[in-house]
Amino acid sequence: MAKADIDFEKELWDAANELRGAVSENNYKNYILPLVFLKHLSERYEMVHEELHGLLQDPKSEYYSVDKEEISYVLEDADEYRARNTFKIPKTASWQYLKDNAEQDDIKVIVDGAFDVIQELLTAFNPQLNNLLPRIFVKSELSAKQTGGIINLLSHPKFSEKENPESDVLGRIYEYYIGRFAMAEGSGAGQFFTPGSIVRLLVEILEPYKGRIFDPACGSGGMFVQSLKFVKEHGGNKSDISIYGQEMTAQTLRLCLMNLMLRELSFDIKLGNSLLDDKFPELKADFIIANPPFNVSNWHPEDLPDGDPRLFGPKEEFTTDGSANYMWMQTFWHHLSDTGTAGIVMANGAMTSNTKGEKHVRQHMVDNSMVDAIVRLPDKLFLTTGIPACLFILSKNRNGKDGVHRQRNNEVLFIDASKMGTMASRKLRVFSDEDIKTIGDTYHAWRTNQSPPLEGESAQREGVAPTQKSPQEELVYTDQPGFCKAATLAEVQKQDYKLTPGIYVGTEAEADDGIPFEEKMEGLKVQLSEQFKKSNELQKRIENNLNKF
């Protein structure tokens, strides 16, 4: 069943409203998502149990047996389930057991007991998963009726992964509640929730088909999930990607771990502050996709060790306590492999900041050909912050030696997407699939085009628009006034290292309506004369009406 065939968002929010009065809106997800996760593990166990049962009865299978004891042993063997990427779930922790007892007065005790059982399995499997499902229902203000109501709602067939195996139902429920939580929570949620539009755009630009994917500010794991979707949509295999992440908030880390386990991804996610306590000092990633918290001040750069391998130069010159933005940049660059590329969401101010520590880093990045592209984003893409944002694309794969992409060490691509997107609501703008394709195709065409610009000149190339195809069915890049421009490093240096796309792309050419100027001017004069005449008539009518009093 296609994803679009299942529409349950309104019902999910109505269900969350069962929590009203007992739980604040921004805590809904803390109660619903652990239940969604337990339901996923329970359904996975049921599906594998049925698969094993079928193999044991199939004469063509190596599992085939008529020995009741052997059949029972296989069906109860925990290793058989682990080999199929799931767990053997005891009856008292199964979703069916919760559903059967949803009307009981002690359902809160039953849920917390199920959490304990599942947690024991998870911890034994991977100590990193410790405290993933803490006991939260008994000590909550929720009534037994409210708790049972949530269980009954999530038991609907349309919310079953078993009934809808191709639709990632539980994962979508998960994403929905994280998104709605971001709306309820306000600015704080921005630290772990990145709007889908931006995540999809980053993934489209980076194309993480295979390799190591790292996000040192991973939040709830949205970047990883979208990367998985990209791999699947392009016929890849999720076993070809390995995921690494770091998150500094324990509660958000739990969300991330559950999110990744829902998708059955292999991962290594650690708790800690990436800026001051890098948990992956040796990691070199093929792709870094990140939305670090913007403009974090008082982050204590003085605590960095002298000679920190991430820094481009002396600590006093390449950091500032006023903003961590460019410490994030140095962290990302340090963790890229020799052919790696990073896509980073960043506050617009980073493109022009003249603070000593930040300006030094930006200048170093331009002079050393680290910046591949800059994309200016439109406003209102974030539910949680009004800070204007952009994308920095950094790459160690700019020398053209990988056999796929051209040499572009002397260029930076600037894309101004500030006028793109459509308003999904009064407060939120989203990118359409076409918007994302246009930006992604522009970057890919520029990166693969085989005719780089001359030294000291702008990239003026013959070719079709970014979203069109040439006769060879390959994208060909061309500068488009008001939208995209390939500028040389010399041009960027001449602009005092400012990276704002508007400086380089110029203004969009206005469409010529074909009417000669003289003819157009005469028409405007006639129109203006008529408007003056109507204005005088209206003034007289108003005066006459006033004289009647």
PDB file of all heavy atoms in Angstrom, residues 436-447:
ATOM      1  N   ILE A 436      12.684  21.146  -4.710  1.00  0.00           N
ATOM      2  CA  ILE A 436      13.843  20.373  -4.269  1.00  0.00           C
ATOM      3  C   ILE A 436      14.625  19.846  -5.467  1.00  0.00           C
ATOM      4  O   ILE A 436      15.851  19.883  -5.501  1.00  0.00           O
ATOM      5  CB  ILE A 436      13.392  19.227  -3.347  1.00  0.00           C
ATOM      6  CG1 ILE A 436      12.898  19.814  -2.006  1.00  0.00           C
ATOM      7  CG2 ILE A 436      14.508  18.216  -3.112  1.00  0.00           C
ATOM      8  CD1 ILE A 436      12.239  18.820  -1.089  1.00  0.00           C
ATOM      9  N   LYS A 437      13.899  19.386  -6.486  1.00  0.00           N
ATOM     10  CA  LYS A 437      14.552  18.876  -7.696  1.00  0.00           C
ATOM     11  C   LYS A 437      15.303  19.994  -8.423  1.00  0.00           C
ATOM     12  O   LYS A 437      16.422  19.794  -8.906  1.00  0.00           O
ATOM     13  CB  LYS A 437      13.516  18.257  -8.624  1.00  0.00           C
ATOM     14  CG  LYS A 437      14.116  17.583  -9.853  1.00  0.00           C
ATOM     15  CD  LYS A 437      13.034  16.909 -10.689  1.00  0.00           C
ATOM     16  CE  LYS A 437      13.654  16.076 -11.813  1.00  0.00           C
ATOM     17  NZ  LYS A 437      14.505  16.855 -12.700  1.00  0.00           N
ATOM     18  N   THR A 438      14.705  21.181  -8.493  1.00  0.00           N
ATOM     19  CA  THR A 438      15.353  22.297  -9.182  1.00  0.00           C
ATOM     20  C   THR A 438      16.681  22.657  -8.516  1.00  0.00           C
ATOM     21  O   THR A 438      17.714  22.807  -9.181  1.00  0.00           O
ATOM     22  CB  THR A 438      14.434  23.534  -9.198  1.00  0.00           C
ATOM     23  OG1 THR A 438      13.270  23.248  -9.969  1.00  0.00           O
ATOM     24  CG2 THR A 438      15.136  24.745  -9.799  1.00  0.00           C
ATOM     25  N   ILE A 439      16.665  22.768  -7.190  1.00  0.00           N
ATOM     26  CA  ILE A 439      17.893  23.123  -6.464  1.00  0.00           C
ATOM     27  C   ILE A 439      18.918  21.991  -6.574  1.00  0.00           C
ATOM     28  O   ILE A 439      20.099  22.223  -6.861  1.00  0.00           O
ATOM     29  CB  ILE A 439      17.579  23.434  -4.992  1.00  0.00           C
ATOM     30  CG1 ILE A 439      16.634  24.639  -4.888  1.00  0.00           C
ATOM     31  CG2 ILE A 439      18.864  23.701  -4.213  1.00  0.00           C
ATOM     32  CD1 ILE A 439      16.057  24.857  -3.509  1.00  0.00           C
ATOM     33  N   GLY A 440      18.461  20.757  -6.353  1.00  0.00           N
ATOM     34  CA  GLY A 440      19.365  19.610  -6.431  1.00  0.00           C
ATOM     35  C   GLY A 440      19.967  19.453  -7.821  1.00  0.00           C
ATOM     36  O   GLY A 440      21.188  19.241  -7.969  1.00  0.00           O
ATOM     37  N   ASP A 441      19.140  19.575  -8.859  1.00  0.00           N
ATOM     38  CA  ASP A 441      19.639  19.441 -10.233  1.00  0.00           C
ATOM     39  C   ASP A 441      20.645  20.534 -10.576  1.00  0.00           C
ATOM     40  O   ASP A 441      21.618  20.300 -11.296  1.00  0.00           O
ATOM     41  CB  ASP A 441      18.474  19.501 -11.230  1.00  0.00           C
ATOM     42  CG  ASP A 441      17.701  18.188 -11.312  1.00  0.00           C
ATOM     43  OD1 ASP A 441      18.119  17.219 -10.664  1.00  0.00           O
ATOM     44  OD2 ASP A 441      16.678  18.150 -12.037  1.00  0.00           O
ATOM     45  N   THR A 442      20.399  21.741 -10.067  1.00  0.00           N
ATOM     46  CA  THR A 442      21.327  22.847 -10.325  1.00  0.00           C
ATOM     47  C   THR A 442      22.700  22.528  -9.753  1.00  0.00           C
ATOM     48  O   THR A 442      23.731  22.693 -10.423  1.00  0.00           O
ATOM     49  CB  THR A 442      20.789  24.153  -9.710  1.00  0.00           C
ATOM     50  OG1 THR A 442      19.520  24.465 -10.292  1.00  0.00           O
ATOM     51  CG2 THR A 442      21.738  25.308  -9.954  1.00  0.00           C
ATOM     52  N   TYR A 443      22.735  22.056  -8.530  1.00  0.00           N
ATOM     53  CA  TYR A 443      24.002  21.701  -7.888  1.00  0.00           C
ATOM     54  C   TYR A 443      24.686  20.542  -8.615  1.00  0.00           C
ATOM     55  O   TYR A 443      25.888  20.592  -8.912  1.00  0.00           O
ATOM     56  CB  TYR A 443      23.758  21.348  -6.426  1.00  0.00           C
ATOM     57  CG  TYR A 443      24.978  20.829  -5.702  1.00  0.00           C
ATOM     58  CD1 TYR A 443      26.056  21.665  -5.419  1.00  0.00           C
ATOM     59  CD2 TYR A 443      25.070  19.488  -5.321  1.00  0.00           C
ATOM     60  CE1 TYR A 443      27.185  21.190  -4.762  1.00  0.00           C
ATOM     61  CE2 TYR A 443      26.184  19.009  -4.663  1.00  0.00           C
ATOM     62  CZ  TYR A 443      27.245  19.859  -4.388  1.00  0.00           C
ATOM     63  OH  TYR A 443      28.352  19.390  -3.748  1.00  0.00           O
ATOM     64  N   HIS A 444      23.914  19.506  -8.944  1.00  0.00           N
ATOM     65  CA  HIS A 444      24.503  18.339  -9.597  1.00  0.00           C
ATOM     66  C   HIS A 444      25.031  18.685 -10.987  1.00  0.00           C
ATOM     67  O   HIS A 444      26.097  18.203 -11.391  1.00  0.00           O
ATOM     68  CB  HIS A 444      23.478  17.211  -9.694  1.00  0.00           C
ATOM     69  CG  HIS A 444      22.997  16.734  -8.364  1.00  0.00           C
ATOM     70  ND1 HIS A 444      21.726  16.254  -8.143  1.00  0.00           N
ATOM     71  CD2 HIS A 444      23.612  16.699  -7.156  1.00  0.00           C
ATOM     72  CE1 HIS A 444      21.592  15.936  -6.870  1.00  0.00           C
ATOM     73  NE2 HIS A 444      22.724  16.194  -6.249  1.00  0.00           N
ATOM     74  N   ALA A 445      24.282  19.508 -11.720  1.00  0.00           N
ATOM     75  CA  ALA A 445      24.732  19.903 -13.062  1.00  0.00           C
ATOM     76  C   ALA A 445      26.034  20.687 -12.981  1.00  0.00           C
ATOM     77  O   ALA A 445      26.974  20.443 -13.740  1.00  0.00           O
ATOM     78  CB  ALA A 445      23.646  20.737 -13.745  1.00  0.00           C
ATOM     79  N   TRP A 446      26.103  21.616 -12.046  1.00  0.00           N
ATOM     80  CA  TRP A 446      27.323  22.426 -11.879  1.00  0.00           C
ATOM     81  C   TRP A 446      28.507  21.549 -11.467  1.00  0.00           C
ATOM     82  O   TRP A 446      29.620  21.711 -11.958  1.00  0.00           O
ATOM     83  CB  TRP A 446      27.066  23.503 -10.826  1.00  0.00           C
ATOM     84  CG  TRP A 446      28.308  24.203 -10.358  1.00  0.00           C
ATOM     85  CD1 TRP A 446      28.985  25.208 -11.006  1.00  0.00           C
ATOM     86  CD2 TRP A 446      29.031  23.950  -9.147  1.00  0.00           C
ATOM     87  NE1 TRP A 446      30.088  25.588 -10.269  1.00  0.00           N
ATOM     88  CE2 TRP A 446      30.136  24.835  -9.127  1.00  0.00           C
ATOM     89  CE3 TRP A 446      28.851  23.076  -8.080  1.00  0.00           C
ATOM     90  CZ2 TRP A 446      31.051  24.860  -8.071  1.00  0.00           C
ATOM     91  CZ3 TRP A 446      29.762  23.089  -7.036  1.00  0.00           C
ATOM     92  CH2 TRP A 446      30.845  23.971  -7.040  1.00  0.00           C
ATOM     93  N   ARG A 447      28.246  20.600 -10.584  1.00  0.00           N
ATOM     94  CA  ARG A 447      29.323  19.771 -10.039  1.00  0.00           C
ATOM     95  C   ARG A 447      29.898  18.799 -11.073  1.00  0.00           C
ATOM     96  O   ARG A 447      31.054  18.400 -10.988  1.00  0.00           O
ATOM     97  CB  ARG A 447      28.790  18.996  -8.832  1.00  0.00           C
ATOM     98  CG  ARG A 447      29.821  18.266  -8.025  1.00  0.00           C
ATOM     99  CD  ARG A 447      29.270  17.736  -6.740  1.00  0.00           C
ATOM    100  NE  ARG A 447      28.177  16.777  -6.932  1.00  0.00           N
ATOM    101  CZ  ARG A 447      27.724  15.962  -5.976  1.00  0.00           C
ATOM    102  NH1 ARG A 447      28.254  16.011  -4.763  1.00  0.00           N
ATOM    103  NH2 ARG A 447      26.732  15.137  -6.215  1.00  0.00           N
TER     104      ARG A 447
END
